[in-house]
């Protein structure tokens, strides 16, 4: 399994957990919980693939994505108490997911021969729009529309990758950039960083 595939599967799994945990927290039934995990895991990638003309979209060509999401459901229920006690479960899995999917989406867009600018935009789309759909279905204000450093962390990581790959091996540049997204997001929450807004 190459690094991109590993990132793809890992991102799918952690985003599925992120969505499932929201569903459990909102007391959705089992089907609702699965749907929330599904749209969180593949929503951003589906939109990206449609926009860049890569159809059928990824999860329709590879049933492994569906099995990964299905596997995440019992894991969340079994581990519900320790995850709930931490109260950081959703945040942690969502943060890992945006880091992974930012670089995955950017890489896939570049592989389609599109410009770096478009690739950065599609990296952000891949990372955040599954969460947008999740939050809308769960009747929560989407994180991307709040003051929190969220999409900006993805934007910074995507641009870092474009720069890093000029000096580092591609796999190393990917790992560095994914880590940067995660670190920026965590530090932003811990230190209260936010983007300026109009009162």
């Amino acid at each position: 399994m190459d690094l991109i595939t590993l990132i793809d599967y890992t991102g799918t799994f952690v985003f599925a957990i992120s969505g499932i945990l929201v569903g459990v927290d909102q007391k959705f039934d089992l089907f609702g919980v699965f749907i929330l995990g599904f749209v969180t895991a593949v929503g951003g990638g589906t939109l990206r693939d449609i926009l860049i003309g890569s159809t059928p979209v990824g999860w329709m060509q590879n049933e492994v994505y569906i099995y990964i999401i299905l596997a995440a459901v019992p894991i969340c229920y079994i581990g519900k108490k320790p995850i709930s006690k931490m109260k950081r479960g959703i945040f942690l899995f969502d943060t890992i997911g945006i880091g992974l999917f930012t670089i995955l989406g950017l890489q896939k867009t570049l592989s389609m021969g599109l410009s770096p600018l478009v690739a950065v935009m599609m990296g952000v789309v891949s990372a955040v729009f599954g969460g947008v759909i999740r939050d809308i279905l769960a009747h929560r204000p989407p994180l991307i529309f709040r003051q929190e450093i969220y999409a900006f962390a993805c934007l910074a990581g995507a641009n870092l990758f474009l720069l890093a790959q000029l000096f580092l091996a591609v796999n190393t540049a990917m790992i560095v950039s994914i880590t940067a997204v995660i670190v920026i997001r965590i530090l932003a929450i811990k230190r209260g960083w936010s983007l300026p807004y109009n009162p």
Side-chain angles (χ1 to χ4, degrees), residues 101-186:
F101 273 175
T102 295
I103 306 308
L104 177 70
L106 186 151
Q107 277 282 71
K108 183 163 186 178
T109 305
L110 288 175
S111 73
M112 296 289 290
L114 297 171
S115 73
L117 175 60
V118 172
V120 167
M121 294 171 65
M122 291 301 101
V124 176
V125 166
S126 299
V128 305
F129 271 85
V132 170
I133 298 169
R134 174 199 65 205
D135 289 341
I136 290 172
L137 292 177
H139 306 291
R140 308 190 321 171
L143 278 172
I144 193 175
F145 300 139
R146 303 182 211 170
Q147 278 183 267
E148 293 181 22
I149 300 292
Y150 189 66
F152 181 80
C154 304
L155 188 63
N159 281 286
L160 176 61
F161 174 79
L162 293 178
L163 180 64
Q165 69 172 347
L166 299 176
F167 306 99
L168 303 172
V170 172
N171 285 356
T172 304
M174 290 173 70
I175 293 169
V176 168
S177 303
I178 290 167
T179 303
V181 175
I182 295 170
V183 169
I184 291 170
R185 174 83 173 124
I186 290 173

Side-chain angles (χ1 to χ4, degrees), residues 22-29 33:
V22 171
V24 170
D25 186 57
Q26 298 279 50
K27 296 182 171 31
F28 284 16
D29 64 19
V33 164

Side-chain angles (χ1 to χ4, degrees), residues 7-137:
I7 289 172
D8 199 2
Y9 289 166
T10 303
T12 299
F13 181 70
V14 297
F15 259 166
I17 288 180
S18 169
I20 291 164
L21 289 175
V22 171
V24 170
D25 186 57
Q26 298 279 50
K27 296 182 171 31
F28 284 16
D29 64 19
L30 189 60
F31 182 73
V33 164
F34 170 76
I35 292 299
L36 217 55
F38 183 83
V39 299
T40 307
V42 302
T46 297
L47 179 58
R48 175 204 65 218
D49 285 352
I50 291 171
L51 288 173
I52 67 176
S54 178
T55 54
V57 298
W59 64 268
M60 291 183 173
Q61 300 184 61
N62 185 354
E63 293 178 354
V64 171
Y65 296 104
I66 299 173
Y67 298 140
I68 289 171
I69 298 166
L70 284 170
V73 175
I75 289 172
C76 284
Y77 277 100
I78 292 168
K80 178 184 173 183
K81 286 188 178 179
I83 292 172
S84 296
K85 282 179 184 177
M86 289 188 294
K87 279 213 166 187
R88 297 176 185 174
I90 296 171
F91 167 77
L92 179 61
F93 284 107
D94 192 65
T95 298
I96 295 170
I98 65 171
L100 294 168
F101 273 175
T102 295
I103 306 308
L104 177 70
L106 186 151
Q107 277 282 71
K108 183 163 186 178
T109 305
L110 288 175
S111 73
M112 296 289 290
L114 297 171
S115 73
L117 175 60
V118 172
V120 167
M121 294 171 65
M122 291 301 101
V124 176
V125 166
S126 299
V128 305
F129 271 85
V132 170
I133 298 169
R134 174 199 65 205
D135 289 341
I136 290 172
L137 292 177

